[in-house]
Amino acid sequence: MSIWRKSSYSANSSDCVEVGRGVGVRDSKAPATYLPVSAEAWSALLRDVTRVTQR
């Protein structure tokens, strides 16, 4: 069982995307299903997002 986390920017909203370490991402409104994401893909996404936001 993974611990699912949501962004601190979501505050108390129930409409958000959650991340499960080593599992993937899911919609908080449909927690029974998730999109598996490899560690390599997640790292690449974070690297790209960080690079774009630092411009």
Side-chain angles (χ1 to χ4, degrees), residues 22-25 35-45:
V23 180
V25 294
L35 176 65
V37 178
S38 70
E40 294 81 15
W42 186 253
S43 292
L45 172 71

Side-chain angles (χ1 to χ4, degrees), residues 2-53:
S2 179
I3 297 173
W4 292 92
R5 299 177 188 265
K6 65 179 180 173
S7 169
S8 59
Y9 290 102
S10 296
N12 293 326
S13 176
S14 61
D15 298 336
C16 61
V17 173
E18 299 174 319
V19 177
R21 185 176 190 153
V23 180
V25 294
R26 71 180 183 183
D27 183 338
S28 63
K29 295 177 294 201
T33 59
Y34 65 92
L35 176 65
V37 178
S38 70
E40 294 81 15
W42 186 253
S43 292
L45 172 71
L46 294 179
R47 197 170 39 251
D48 288 349
V49 167
T50 301
R51 185 181 39 143
V52 169
T53 58

